[in-house]
Amino acid sequence: MINMKNATTWRHFTSAVSVLLMVISVFLITSKGLNWGLDFTGGVVSEIQLNSNITSSEIEPLLKAGLKQDVTVIAAGEPGRWVLRYAVPAVGAELPPISQMLSPLASDVQVLNTSIVGPQVGQELAEQGGLALLVSMLCILGYLSYRFEWRLASGSLFALTHDVVFVLGFFAATQMEFNLTVLAAVLAILGYSLNDSIIIADRIRELLIAKPKCSIEEINNHAIKATFSRTMVTSGTTLMTVGALWLLGGGPLEGFAIAMFIGIVTGTWSSISVGTTLPELFGLRPEHYLPKPISEEP
């Protein structure tokens, strides 16, 4: 049997830790900012063709040394064809051609095409990405307000905000590149965390109606206990999939996989701790879900 008093103490403690981490994440985002990728800042995109036996780990060091900056090397789908992405070189910088940089690997390097993504396009992508995130949050807010009483919905909404802020704080702290794939992961995290929060909130609502004499602390603990195995199995299997993507997906999917991994862990954590503790602080009681008596007409 679970000691309910200890369970309540642990929930309150983990909620305090979550709030502290959220404050630290906000500080990192505002002080250090995000390392925006070429999707948002603009840059050069080149497509090359060379020997199919050459790997990206052989190409990257030569290009980084020649261009004097980080270069993203992405497989283009056909053997030996690669897409290179890097920032626009400084004005007046004299750089050797790509074929010359890669000459130690092969003598038949073909540059198929080169295009420049301007900062205006990057600005539009940033605005559209921020708008997508805002619309998603507003839709979720409307759904939660319709489905649950506002005190219970507030816990789920705060848990969603916590997960997104924590992921952004991690990318601000590490200065990993924040590109469109990471933004897609953030949007996916919203849906995943919402699923966990709704499962627990549904159980809390059922128990509030079935056991109106129990305290909200006991009801929250029973709801977590009833859904804990389901939450762990779902999160565990998803983490295995994301972990495989992280290890085997290579550099282009690394940011996406890391963001998803962090989001799943924090989403599970926050749904159990913050998502249940905040309604307690707002005074959620069984009376809020009991049917209202029908007033008799005179």
Side-chain angles (χ1 to χ4, degrees), residues 113-134:
N113 59 72
T114 298
S115 59
I116 297 178
V117 179
Q120 179 62 34
V121 177
Q123 180 65 26
E124 291 178 2
L125 288 174
E127 292 175 355
Q128 292 172 0
L131 181 61
L133 191 59
L134 177 61

Side-chain angles (χ1 to χ4, degrees), residues 188-209:
I189 289 167
L190 285 175
Y192 186 89
S193 180
L194 178 65
N195 179 60
D196 263 350
S197 298
I198 287 178
I199 293 296
I200 298 176
D202 261 332
R203 187 59 178 164
I204 291 174
R205 183 176 57 178
E206 292 174 1
L207 291 173
L208 284 170
I209 298 173

Side-chain angles (χ1 to χ4, degrees), residues 101-211:
M101 297 180 200
L102 299 179
S103 58
L105 295 178
S107 58
D108 56 344
V109 179
Q110 302 178 41
V111 180
L112 304 178
N113 59 72
T114 298
S115 59
I116 297 178
V117 179
Q120 179 62 34
V121 177
Q123 180 65 26
E124 291 178 2
L125 288 174
E127 292 175 355
Q128 292 172 0
L131 181 61
L133 191 59
L134 177 61
V135 170
S136 299
M137 292 295 290
L138 290 177
C139 291
I140 289 171
L141 175 60
Y143 171 76
L144 291 174
S145 301
Y146 170 77
R147 186 174 178 89
F148 300 110
E149 201 268 343
W150 72 268
R151 295 172 182 83
L152 192 53
S154 64
S156 300
L157 184 63
F158 190 85
L160 290 177
T161 306
H162 164 273
D163 301 338
V164 173
V165 170
F166 191 84
V167 171
L168 296 180
F170 173 83
F171 276 81
T174 59
Q175 287 296 292
M176 290 183 61
E177 182 180 296
F178 190 93
N179 50 34
L180 283 179
T181 59
V182 178
L183 178 61
V186 172
L187 293 173
I189 289 167
L190 285 175
Y192 186 89
S193 180
L194 178 65
N195 179 60
D196 263 350
S197 298
I198 287 178
I199 293 296
I200 298 176
D202 261 332
R203 187 59 178 164
I204 291 174
R205 183 176 57 178
E206 292 174 1
L207 291 173
L208 284 170
I209 298 173
K211 301 178 179 180

Side-chain angles (χ1 to χ4, degrees), residues 4 11 20 22 27 40 51 84 92 95 107 111 130 138 149 173 178 204 207 214 238 255 287:
M4 292 300 175
R11 279 196 300 106
L20 177 62
M22 188 174 179
F27 172 76
F40 301 109
N51 195 311
L84 314 178
L95 300 175
S107 58
V111 180
L138 290 177
E149 201 268 343
F178 190 93
I204 291 174
L207 291 173
C214 290
T238 311
E287 290 80 9

Side-chain angles (χ1 to χ4, degrees), residues 249-265:
L253 293 178
E254 183 181 22
F256 176 86
I258 291 176
M260 284 295 298
F261 194 94
I262 296 172
I264 292 171
V265 173

